[in-house]
Amino acid sequence: MVHGAQLLFCTAVLLNVGAASVLGDRPSARSLSLQVEFAALNETVGGRLYTAVPWELPCFSEYNGTAVTPDEAACAIVQDNYTDPFTRVTHFGAYMASQWETCQAESPNAGCLLDLSDPTDPDAFDGVDCQLGNIPSYYIDVRYPSDVQAALNFSETTGVRLSVKNKGHDYKGRSSGKGTLALWVTNLNSISHNNSFVPEGCSTAYDAITIGPGAITEDIFEYVDNINRTFIGGYHQTIGAGGGYFLGGGHSVLSPVFGLAVDRVVQVKVVTPEGQYVTANECQHPELFFALRGGGGSAWGVVFESTHRLAPQVTLQVASIGFTEHANSSNLADWYELLVNETYRFGTEGWGGHIVGPTIIYVNSLLSNAEANASMQAVADFALDQGGTAVVEELPSYLAFFSKYVTLAEVGVGPETTMGSRLIPTSLFDNEVGRTTLSNTIKNVLSFVNPYIVVGTPFLYNYTVGTTSVTPAWRDSLWHLSIHSEWVWNSTVEYIAEQYTAVTQHAQLFRDITPGSGAYFNEGDVYEPNHTYSYWGENYEILRDIKEFYDPKGLLDCWQCVGWTGAEDTLYECFVEL
Ligand SMILES: Cc1cc2nc3c(=O)[nH]c(=O)nc-3n(C[C@H](O)[C@H](O)[C@H](O)COP(=O)(O)OP(=O)(O)OC[C@H]3O[C@@H](n4cnc5c(N)ncnc54)[C@H](O)[C@@H]3O)c2cc1C
Ligand SMILES: *[C@@H]1O[C@H](CO)[C@@H](O)[C@H](O)[C@H]1NC(C)=O
Ligand SMILES: *[C@@H]1O[C@H](CO)[C@@H](O)[C@H](O)[C@H]1NC(C)=O
Ligand SMILES: *[C@@H]1O[C@H](CO)[C@@H](O)[C@H](O)[C@H]1NC(C)=O
Ligand SMILES: *[C@@H]1O[C@H](CO)[C@@H](O)[C@H](O)[C@H]1NC(C)=O
Ligand SMILES: *[C@@H]1O[C@H](CO)[C@@H](O)[C@H](O)[C@H]1NC(C)=O
Ligand SMILES: *[C@@H]1O[C@H](CO)[C@@H](O)[C@H](O)[C@H]1NC(C)=O
Ligand SMILES: *[C@@H]1O[C@H](CO)[C@@H](O)[C@H](O)[C@H]1NC(C)=O
Ligand SMILES: *[C@@H]1O[C@H](CO)[C@@H](O)[C@H](O)[C@H]1NC(C)=O
Ligand SMILES: *[C@@H]1O[C@H](CO)[C@@H](O)[C@H](O)[C@H]1NC(C)=O
Ligand SMILES: *[C@@H]1O[C@H](CO)[C@@H](O)[C@H](O)[C@H]1NC(C)=O
Ligand SMILES: *[C@@H]1O[C@H](CO)[C@@H](O)[C@H](O)[C@H]1NC(C)=O
Ligand SMILES: *[C@@H]1O[C@H](CO)[C@@H](O)[C@H](O)[C@H]1NC(C)=O
């Protein structure tokens, strides 16, 4: 049987070669026939096929070796909004981590980026050749399942590879891809509520919202606030909560009590790689549903909508404490050590939050204001002693918290940036040896970077074992800790490679003290070693079987995803080789 399959494969390859030579040996004949195929595809999708261009192109006077006329007004809009996520999400050729617009492996870096520190800096665009880089060549503005079916069919017949883009937040280049035809799902952005939603074929009813992948997190928070509910979502305004966010796990500062995004999803509608539009939930297509709950974006088909359980409106205690202007190497080390000391207790009390160097913003839905104040006393005292500030206040809703704090504190977009991360297990917090080990490791990386810590693991959430495919390490961890690095528009490929390497090496210090733990797929190291174990742990083998079943032809592939073909695939030619 194996031989038969191999034979079939060889015959197919030969037929392809044969078809090309029938059309003539000149390369233009093949590209001409491809153009005909693209025109037919365009007709099938109602004229919603587009040629992609870099978002920054209006600033340049040369594109791909040809002179073009800059558009000053359009360029000014790009420059003024270079770090604005709301502008970036509206342009196909813009990504939040901007190196994924470029072909990093090429020297000089082939792209069309501006100087982030001053987008009007003419050095970035005067006399510079703007390149499409790693941005897909074409995209379909996806509106209907038939659009995806046509693209899958097109990919199979032409060999043109596919990519899926939503809000462009991916940190690992999985929503771009040189030479690909992209499925842009950004306009599938509906939001609706049903307080007695019953998944198809099931009997349990949930108070839930159904969202398209393109609905942005902030709009969802506003929508549910209006109906006096809480949605468990990420710490940024424009993430596509119904796209890559939940597919990879999805953490929130409310996750310690309310679970990860994958814990709250009850149904997903998806066009599978074989072109079927299916409804997956606990009662039908349960294996696919399991895979969609943490198996990662891009791999299982194209999601059209997902339904998520809501929580009642919550009153929140917010602790905003820090000493930014007074931070130095010695008080920062003590600060992290204090937080390590307190983390287990904070976990049992239901706190979630972010630690960004000398500041924390934590929230709690279980404590009263007096209890929260007492709980945070030691941390507040520490910050005040350094000359910092401390507030522990009560806010009436998650939206009130999001609007007052998160919109100012969320991670900035636009830089070329990478991260390495690790889920830090309870065993490094609930005993003195563990705490000392962790504090010392943090101390050792402070000269490189202040670790960014998300207290967003489902520590108190009553999880039903086996229902999601994220690594089980999430269930027994208190921190998702990450190490970041950035570089600039004109960095050399060697320098870029050094940044990826440095991040991997510093993250390794945390891997070394957490054997058997894992990492967050959506916010992991681009070069994560042993990535299948880190992201999925013991779930990987079954995920791989499900992938083979639903995508037998491997039409959807992405970097370090389930069933990944590997870095040698030409799809990844723009990834830097370390
Ligand atoms: C500034 C910033 C802040 C962040 N904060 C958080 C946070 O607080 N919590 C958290 O958990 N994560 C956070 N993330 C990570 C975020 O969850 C991931 O980047 C996520 O993948 C983004 O999904 P997207 O659909 O918006 O992005 P995209 O880059 O468009 O897509 C991400 C991946 O999902 C795939 N995908 C997207 N839509 C679909 C679909 N409809 N069907 C199939 N595949 C799809 C893409 O192919 C790609 O592989 C943050 C990221 C950034 C840049
Ligand atoms: C697809 O068709 C539309 C409408 O006819 C057209 O505007 C668009 O340019 C076409 N796309 C491509 C890539 O040719
Ligand atoms: C850029 O030019 C090269 C050849 O000069 C061509 O093969 C390629 O398709 C062009 N790319 C774009 C995005 O136009
Ligand atoms: C971008 O910047 C301009 C100012 O140049 C501003 O008027 C506009 O609202 C911004 N946003 C978008 C989405 O263009
Ligand atoms: C798939 O492609 C073939 C050949 O291009 C075409 O004949 C067929 O109609 C397509 N099917 C779908 C569902 O688009
Ligand atoms: C809510 O879900 C129930 C059960 O599936 C269904 O009968 C009802 O029509 C839905 N309501 C709305 C407004 O969609
Ligand atoms: C988890 O379940 C236990 C026992 O049923 C209950 O006491 C606790 O409140 C639950 N926790 C959460 C966060 O719902
Ligand atoms: C909003 O929800 C909360 C929590 O369920 C409830 O106590 C409150 O009465 C509701 N308010 C309104 C206006 O419905
Ligand atoms: C952390 O706890 C240890 C003892 O468990 C103590 O020695 C150390 O001083 C504490 N660190 C801080 C900064 O409070
Ligand atoms: C760090 O800052 C604190 C508080 O401002 C100060 O007391 C301490 O001397 C400083 N330490 C170093 C090494 O600069
Ligand atoms: C905690 O409560 C005390 C007593 O009411 C108050 O003085 C203090 O400012 C509060 N701390 C914070 C951080 O809000
Ligand atoms: C990048 O450009 C800046 C000017 O914007 C220049 O100062 C710097 O030397 C350049 N770096 C490299 C590596 O070329
Ligand atoms: C990956 O990590 C797991 C858990 O530590 C280990 O059992 C496995 O052997 C590792 N695999 C590789 C290829 O290193």
Side-chain angles (χ1 to χ4, degrees):
M1 283 305 107
V2 169
H3 280 117
Q6 274 171 355
L7 195 65
L8 269 179
F9 176 71
C10 289
T11 313
V13 169
L14 286 173
L15 280 176
N16 264 338
V17 171
S21 47
V22 166
L23 292 168
D25 289 317
R26 289 162 301 138
S28 59
R30 193 163 182 273
S31 66
L32 196 67
S33 86
L34 194 56
Q35 271 173 29
V36 171
E37 304 252 25
F38 268 117
L41 174 66
N42 195 10
E43 210 162 295
T44 311
V45 301
R48 279 174 285 102
L49 174 75
Y50 299 94
T51 308
V53 291
W55 173 49
E56 302 88 345
L57 177 59
C59 299
F60 289 74
S61 51
E62 192 179 328
Y63 181 43
N64 199 28
T66 304
V68 290
T69 311
D71 179 336
E72 275 180 36
C75 172
I77 289 177
V78 174
Q79 291 171 327
D80 286 347
N81 299 288
Y82 203 58
T83 56
D84 176 25
F86 289 94
T87 309
R88 279 187 183 263
V89 285
T90 60
H91 291 268
F92 179 79
Y95 289 79
M96 300 299 167
S98 61
Q99 79 266 31
W100 299 114
E101 299 172 19
T102 77
C103 199
Q104 300 168 82
E106 278 178 42
S107 184
N109 195 342
C112 198
L113 300 183
L114 302 183
D115 179 349
L116 183 87
S117 68
D118 173 13
T120 65
D121 174 2
D123 285 355
F125 52 87
D126 248 17
V128 176
D129 185 25
C130 167
Q131 299 266 329
L132 191 58
N134 196 45
I135 298 170
S137 308
Y138 292 91
Y139 65 92
I140 295 172
D141 170 6
V142 172
R143 304 286 173 143
Y144 311 106
S146 58
D147 297 338
V148 176
Q149 287 155 348
L152 287 161
N153 189 5
F154 176 83
S155 176
E156 203 185 331
T157 33
T158 61
V160 170
R161 308 288 289 272
L162 299 175
S163 57
V164 182
K165 188 191 182 202
N166 185 24
K167 296 306 189 193
H169 277 251
D170 195 68
Y171 280 111
K172 296 173 115 178
R174 297 172 317 205
S175 47
S176 49
K178 185 174 175 146
T180 59
L181 163 63
L183 295 162
W184 197 20
V185 296
T186 192
N187 287 316
L188 302 170
N189 57 6
S190 61
I191 307 175
S192 66
H193 175 231
N194 189 332
N195 63 13
S196 52
F197 178 85
V198 180
E200 255 180 63
C202 301
S203 51
T204 311
Y206 300 99
D207 183 2
I209 53 164
T210 296
I211 55 178
I216 65 169
T217 297
E218 183 168 73
D219 288 350
I220 298 169
F221 287 150
E222 283 168 1
Y223 181 97
V224 302
D225 190 73
N226 271 325
I227 54 168
N228 199 29
R229 303 288 199 283
T230 305
F231 176 75
I232 313 307
Y235 207 69
H236 191 271
Q237 292 164 283
T238 60
I239 297 170
Y245 169 77
F246 95 84
L247 288 161
H251 63 68
S252 160
V253 293
L254 297 179
S255 293
V257 173
F258 295 96
L260 297 169
V262 283
D263 293 325
R264 308 193 62 87
V265 68
V266 294
Q267 179 164 293
V268 182
K269 291 193 178 179
V270 57
V271 177
T272 67
E274 296 251 90
Q276 270 129 10
Y277 188 41
V278 308
T279 300
N281 57 43
E282 269 175 356
C283 310
Q284 55 190 45
H285 298 285
E287 297 85 6
L288 181 59
F289 186 52
F290 170 79
L292 290 162
R293 296 174 88 179
S298 285
W300 314 101
V302 176
V303 170
F304 272 69
E305 58 176 59
S306 53
T307 305
H308 305 254
R309 283 189 292 132
L310 297 176
Q313 192 71 274
V314 286
T315 300
L316 289 176
Q317 307 306 323
V318 182
S320 174
I321 300 172
F323 53 100
T324 304
E325 270 117 64
H326 308 277
N328 59 47
S329 57
S330 106
N331 62 13
L332 261 179
D334 289 346
W335 166 253
Y336 276 104
E337 183 179 295
L338 172 64
L339 292 167
V340 169
N341 282 358
E342 301 280 3
T343 287
Y344 184 75
R345 179 174 61 81
F346 286 162
T348 61
E349 292 171 346
W351 288 102
H354 287 221
I355 303 171
V356 187
T359 67
I360 67 164
I361 298 177
Y362 273 39
V363 299
N364 195 304
S365 60
L366 304 179
L367 301 179
S368 69
N369 185 253
E371 289 165 340
N373 182 325
S375 171
M376 280 291 160
Q377 189 75 53
V379 175
D381 288 348
F382 184 100
L384 295 172
D385 281 351
Q386 310 308 310
T389 58
V391 173
V392 178
E393 67 165 326
E394 180 170 302
L395 291 176
S397 66
Y398 186 78
L399 182 64
F401 162 67
F402 190 80
S403 308
K404 180 165 180 182
Y405 286 97
V406 182
T407 54
L408 299 175
E410 66 188 8
V411 169
V413 304
E416 296 156 276
T417 184
T418 193
M419 67 166 80
S421 69
R422 197 69 176 165
L423 293 166
I424 311 294
T426 309
S427 60
L428 287 183
F429 295 103
D430 69 0
N431 65 86
E432 178 122 24
V433 174
R435 288 192 292 266
T436 305
T437 303
L438 179 57
S439 292
N440 288 340
T441 307
I442 292 172
K443 220 166 283 180
N444 287 339
V445 302
L446 287 178
S447 60
F448 178 68
V449 74
N450 297 333
Y452 189 118
I453 293 153
V454 176
V455 186
T457 64
F459 189 66
L460 292 186
Y461 181 73
N462 288 324
Y463 176 62
T464 307
V465 174
T467 52
T468 70
S469 49
V470 294
T471 169
W474 275 104
R475 308 292 165 188
D476 185 35
S477 292
L478 278 154
W479 281 4
H480 156 48
L481 178 151
S482 60
I483 298 290
H484 295 242
S485 187
E486 293 185 4
W487 55 95
V488 297
W489 63 278
N490 59 349
S491 299
T492 61
V493 65
E494 292 76 20
Y495 184 80
I496 295 171
E498 273 169 34
Q499 301 314 300
Y500 282 116
T501 303
V503 160
T504 301
Q505 286 172 349
H506 286 90
Q508 189 59 39
L509 301 174
F510 294 93
R511 295 185 193 107
D512 290 344
I513 60 166
T514 58
S517 187
Y520 179 24
F521 177 73
N522 280 344
E523 297 181 326
D525 194 332
V526 175
Y527 299 91
E528 179 73 19
N530 198 357
H531 71 279
T532 58
Y533 195 87
S534 289
Y535 298 142
W536 300 289
E538 64 218 32
N539 292 325
Y540 187 69
E541 280 177 31
I542 175 147
L543 282 171
R544 203 186 43 209
D545 290 347
I546 298 168
K547 172 74 176 173
E548 272 166 25
F549 183 81
Y550 281 97
D551 189 10
K553 296 174 190 132
L555 291 179
L556 294 176
D557 195 60
C558 60
W559 183 267
Q560 292 198 343
C561 292
V562 171
W564 185 38
T565 50
E568 305 72 31
D569 189 322
T570 52
L571 199 50
Y572 310 114
E573 66 184 285
C574 290
F575 283 71
V576 174
E577 227 177 291
L578 300 187

